[in-house]
Amino acid sequence: MVKQVLTDFQAATPFMIEQASRISDDDVTLLFNLYLPFLGPKAYALYQFLYEEQKDQRGQTAFKNHYLLLDSLALSSPEFIRARQALEALSLLKTYAGERMGQPQLRYVLQRPMTAEAFFNEDLLSGLLFHYVGEERFLVLAKRYQAKRGAPLQQQKELSASFLSIFDLPDTQHKPNVAIEDAKTVAPKADFDQVSFDFEGMAALVHGTTTEKVQKVRELILTQQVLYGLNEAEMATALTRSINLDDHDVNKQAFLAYLASTWSNRKQKQQLADQGAERSVTAKTVASEEPTAKTGNRALDALYQAANNLSPIDFISQIKEQNAGYVTQNERRILNDLLEKRILPVPAINLLTYQVLVNMDQSDLKRNLVDAIANSWAKAGVRTAEDAVAAIKAHKDKSRQKATGRTSTWSRSANKQEPTFTSNEAAKKQQVDQAAVKQALDLMKNYKTKD
C-alpha cells in the first residue's frame, strides 16, 4: 500500500487545506509536548506548516502544487509521504484524493489532537510516549497537564444533582439533524490576525527577573506587542529596562513609559533590530513599493496594505509626522484601550484612525468619537480593512438619505498633507499620486458620529 502511494504521488498536484474543527495554538503546543517524541520532527513540521497556512483563513486554503511545502520543510517526496502517513495513522490528518475541473487534486483536513486527559487515558498513545521518553520525562509531561485541584474536605460527600433528578427525558424523535462547525460556536474576540509571537521564548530573553514574574503581566505585554509591533528581542529589551531592583517584578509604569519614549522612534527601533534580531510576523514588511492590486484603485489598495501591515502606533505616527504633528499620550491610551477591549482587529483600528484624522480632519483622536465609531463597527461585525471601508460608505449613504440636498455641517476640505505609508521597518515607501489619494478620500468622507 505504501509503495503504491509513493508511486502515485506527484509534487505538481494541487491541494487544499482545511480544519475539521477549531485548532488553537495550545493544541499545537500539546502536539509538540506529547506527540513529537514518537511522531518525529518531519511529521510535526508538516502538521505545523499545514496549520500555519490555514489558520488565518476561512474555509479552504488552496495551493497550485506541493513545491512550496516541500521546499519550506526541506522534504523529498518519499519523506513527505512518510510524514503525512504518520499524521494519518495518529488521526491528526485526513487525506482525500479526487478531481476538480477534470484535474487530479488532494484535500488535506487537519484533525485536532486529543486533549491531554484523553491522551493519557489512551493506553496506545501514552504507551508510545512512555516508550520513547522514559519514565522520568513521562512523569514531567504528565504533571505539566495535571489540573490544579484543591485538597478534598474531610469526610467529603458529593451532593450534586443528577440529570434525571431535575429534567425529564426529552422526545428526540422529531429533532432535526443539524451540522454545526465548532469554529463558529463561540464568537471570538479580535485576535489581531492571530499574530505569531513566541511569548515563552521572549520571556527567556528578559534579564533580572524570572519567567514566572513576566507571566504575571502577560496580557499587558501582548497588548503592547500588538500596539507597537515589536518582535521578541525588542520586547525583551523593553522589559529588561523596566525591572524593579528590589522585588524583580516588572514595573508597569516604567515599561509603558519606556515604550512611549523609545520605541515610537522608528530610527531607534531599526538600530536595535539591525543588531541581529529577526523581525516577527507582526512586523511584516511591504513586499514591493507598489501596492498589491485588489480594487484597481491605487490609493485605496495602498491604504489597505498599510492598514494590514502596520502596527497602530506606526500607522498613526506616519499620519502625524507627514502633517508636522506628533502622537499624544492621550492617543496612545485610546489605542491601547481599544486593543485591550479586543472588539476590533488591528486593520480596523488603523482604518478608524485614518477616518478620524484624515477623512474627518481632526487634529487628534478624541475618545468619544473613537468609542462611538468602534462600538458601531463592532456591532456591525467589522473585522477587516475592507469591512471598515464598507461601513464608512454605508454610513455615508445613510447620512445622505437623511440630509437630502443639504451639505454636511462638518464636510470641508482638508489642508493637511495626505499620508503615504511605509512598512513597519520604515525601509520602503509607497508612493501614491495625489490625484489617486483624493479619489480614495472621496470614497470615505462624510462619516458622521456623535462626539
Side-chain angles (χ1 to χ4, degrees):
M1 181 65 179
V2 173
K3 291 183 179 179
Q4 182 66 32
V5 173
L6 288 174
T7 301
D8 291 344
F9 173 74
Q10 298 292 331
T13 304
F15 69 95
M16 298 178 296
I17 311 170
E18 60 185 272
Q19 294 183 9
S21 59
R22 184 179 181 87
I23 300 173
S24 67
D25 290 343
D26 289 338
D27 293 323
V28 179
T29 300
L30 182 145
L31 191 78
F32 177 84
N33 288 325
L34 304 184
Y35 284 78
L36 177 59
F38 53 87
L39 183 62
K42 293 179 181 178
Y44 172 80
L46 175 58
Y47 188 98
Q48 180 79 28
F49 178 93
L50 297 176
Y51 167 72
E52 293 293 340
E53 289 297 319
Q54 204 278 330
K55 71 176 183 178
D56 293 333
Q57 310 299 323
R58 295 181 179 178
Q60 297 176 330
T61 304
F63 288 81
K64 295 181 179 179
N65 52 56
H66 286 71
Y67 293 122
L68 173 63
L69 189 158
L70 297 177
D71 291 343
S72 298
L73 302 181
L75 294 176
S76 64
S77 293
E79 288 174 331
F80 165 73
I81 292 298
R82 285 193 289 270
R84 193 186 76 186
Q85 290 178 336
L87 295 175
E88 294 165 353
L90 294 170
S91 298
L92 296 170
L93 181 69
K94 298 289 185 182
T95 301
Y96 302 91
E99 292 185 354
R100 174 162 290 187
M101 301 180 66
Q103 298 297 322
Q105 191 158 16
L106 293 173
R107 176 170 167 252
Y108 300 136
V109 183
L110 278 175
Q111 310 292 312
R112 185 179 181 182
M114 284 185 174
T115 64
E117 180 181 6
F119 181 94
F120 284 104
N121 288 333
E122 169 60 57
D123 290 338
L124 184 60
L125 293 181
S126 59
L128 277 174
L129 179 63
F130 180 84
H131 174 76
Y132 277 86
V133 302
E135 181 178 0
E136 181 178 357
R137 180 61 178 170
F138 182 88
L139 293 176
V140 168
L141 292 172
K143 184 178 180 181
R144 181 175 299 176
Y145 288 97
Q146 284 177 348
K148 297 180 179 179
R149 300 174 180 173
L153 300 173
Q154 295 179 352
Q155 300 180 349
Q156 177 175 288
K157 295 181 180 180
E158 185 175 1
L159 303 178
S160 307
S162 65
F163 179 88
L164 292 178
S165 68
I166 304 299
F167 301 99
D168 294 326
L169 285 174
D171 181 9
T172 60
Q173 293 182 354
H174 303 292
K175 180 177 68 68
N177 293 324
V178 294
I180 302 297
E181 297 180 15
D182 73 359
K184 298 180 181 178
T185 55
V186 178
K189 291 184 177 180
D191 56 5
F192 309 135
D193 285 341
Q194 298 195 4
V195 165
S196 175
F197 183 76
D198 184 1
F199 186 91
E200 286 69 24
M202 179 279 301
L205 297 175
V206 180
H207 299 295
T209 188
T210 63
T211 302
E212 290 72 18
K213 289 182 180 291
V214 176
Q215 283 281 359
K216 291 180 180 180
V217 290
R218 181 186 181 94
E219 289 302 316
L220 173 65
I221 293 171
L222 292 179
T223 298
Q224 300 308 306
Q225 188 270 326
V226 176
L227 181 63
Y228 286 90
L230 307 183
N231 64 23
E232 291 83 354
E234 295 167 341
M235 180 61 75
T237 299
L239 288 167
T240 299
R241 299 291 183 90
S242 309
I243 301 299
N244 292 330
L245 296 179
D246 50 357
D247 56 11
H248 304 288
D249 285 335
V250 176
N251 187 318
K252 297 180 182 179
Q253 296 303 320
F255 174 58
L256 295 175
Y258 181 84
L259 291 176
S261 62
T262 303
W263 295 95
S264 59
N265 187 318
R266 303 310 300 169
K267 292 182 180 179
Q268 291 176 331
K269 282 191 69 175
Q270 188 62 36
Q271 288 172 357
L272 186 71
D274 287 343
Q275 293 174 6
E278 292 185 357
R279 301 298 302 178
S280 69
V281 175
T282 61
K284 294 180 287 187
T285 58
V286 179
S288 65
E289 293 185 1
E290 295 296 329
T292 303
K294 292 182 180 180
T295 67
N297 184 311
R298 183 184 176 90
L300 191 56
D301 289 337
L303 182 59
Y304 284 154
Q305 193 169 26
N308 289 325
N309 290 346
L310 297 178
S311 70
I313 286 295
D314 288 326
F315 191 92
I316 190 174
S317 294
Q318 290 193 35
I319 294 178
K320 288 301 191 77
E321 288 171 3
Q322 292 181 44
N323 289 284
Y326 63 92
V327 182
T328 67
Q329 289 295 332
N330 186 54
E331 288 175 315
R332 294 179 194 275
R333 284 192 292 268
I334 290 174
L335 293 174
N336 183 83
D337 292 346
L338 271 182
L339 289 173
E340 287 184 342
K341 291 181 176 68
R342 297 196 179 188
I343 63 173
L344 292 176
V346 169
I349 291 176
N350 285 341
L351 258 295
L352 193 158
T353 298
Y354 189 89
Q355 169 67 13
V356 173
L357 297 182
V358 179
N359 292 350
M360 301 180 72
D361 195 24
Q362 299 290 323
S363 60
D364 57 4
L365 298 179
K366 295 177 174 58
R367 184 171 294 274
N368 289 343
L369 182 60
V370 169
D371 287 345
I373 299 176
N375 280 304
S376 175
W377 287 6
K379 183 178 179 181
V382 171
R383 310 297 298 171
T384 65
E386 291 82 355
D387 291 343
V389 171
I392 293 171
K393 187 176 184 300
H395 197 286
K396 173 185 175 182
D397 294 341
K398 184 177 180 180
S399 298
R400 282 180 173 175
Q401 292 176 0
K402 289 183 178 180
T404 305
R406 292 189 292 115
T407 303
S408 178
T409 56
W410 49 262
S411 179
R412 57 185 180 276
S413 299
N415 295 321
K416 299 189 297 181
Q417 178 185 352
E418 305 299 348
T420 56
F421 293 99
T422 65
S423 72
N424 257 348
E425 296 186 353
K428 298 179 180 180
K429 294 185 178 179
Q430 298 172 347
Q431 301 299 328
V432 181
D433 59 271
Q434 293 302 311
V437 172
K438 294 298 183 184
Q439 183 181 359
L441 291 178
D442 290 340
L443 288 174
M444 296 179 288
K445 283 190 175 179
N446 301 325
Y447 188 102
K448 280 187 178 179
T449 190
K450 296 181 180 179
D451 191 348

